[in-house]
Amino acid sequence: MHIEVTVNGRLRSADVEARTLLAYLLRDEFNLTGTHVGCDTTSCGACTVIWDGLPVKSCTVLAGQVDGGAITTVEGLEQDAQLHPLQQGFWDNHGLQCGFCTPGMLMTTYALLQRRPHPTETEIRQAISGNLCRCTGYQNIVAAVQQAAARLSAQDAMEEVQA
Ligand code: FES
Ligand code: FES
């Protein structure tokens, strides 16, 4: 089937089989290999992307389902060669070691901050409960998200003052 989907703000098209998974559409057709595949069974969260505003595990979504929709992947977080505050937070707080889970962690917490700009530590931990990390023990990931939330909040306040 032929599909069209907006990926990181750019309209893309592809011919896919009915069984093609979104994770493989992104990685194999669009060469967006930042989306990782860890388990292929909806367990690890490494493949998480944003689909029409909501985080989804792209190993569990068919490519045909996103026809006409909008996807944001980890490659879409950086803007104008500036890391997103979440990416900077992971950098500053050593929120990763091997980095395999990191794209999924970033996209899950990106969605969290969209709907909860000031999450509690409990809310952050609940949000990432579907994302597995074998390296960090999660503490630094939580700290990274807390830093990003504070920076985004400060940016919003600054923009309001300048408006
Ligand atoms: S690869 Fe999709 S949840 Fe693990
Ligand atoms: S940083 Fe290695 S799995 Fe999370």
Side-chain angles (χ1 to χ4, degrees), residues 36-47 57 59:
H36 291 168
V37 177
C39 66
D40 240 347
T41 56
T42 328
S43 300
C44 74
C47 65
K57 293 178 177 178
C59 74

Side-chain angles (χ1 to χ4, degrees), residues 30-103:
F30 299 154
N31 202 29
L32 294 169
T33 54
T35 298
H36 291 168
V37 177
C39 66
D40 240 347
T41 56
T42 328
S43 300
C44 74
C47 65
T48 304
V49 299
I50 309 298
W51 174 22
D52 289 345
L54 294 174
V56 294
K57 293 178 177 178
S58 61
C59 74
T60 312
V61 175
L62 293 168
Q65 290 178 273
V66 305
D67 185 25
I71 301 293
T72 305
T73 70
V74 69
E75 290 90 346
L77 291 184
E78 180 190 318
Q79 296 292 326
D80 301 324
Q82 295 289 317
L83 293 179
H84 186 278
L86 271 168
Q87 294 170 307
Q88 191 65 51
F90 273 69
W91 179 283
D92 292 344
N93 292 278
H94 309 290
L96 62 144
Q97 290 181 38
C98 80
F100 198 85
C101 71
T102 308

Side-chain angles (χ1 to χ4, degrees), residues 3 6 8 16 29 36-38 45-47 84 87-88 102 104 112 132 135 139 147 160-161:
I3 63 166
T6 301
N8 299 331
V16 299
E29 289 287 332
H36 291 168
V37 177
C47 65
H84 186 278
Q87 294 170 307
Q88 191 65 51
T102 308
L112 169 67
L132 303 181
C135 300
Q139 188 57 44
Q147 175 182 305
E160 277 180 27
V161 168

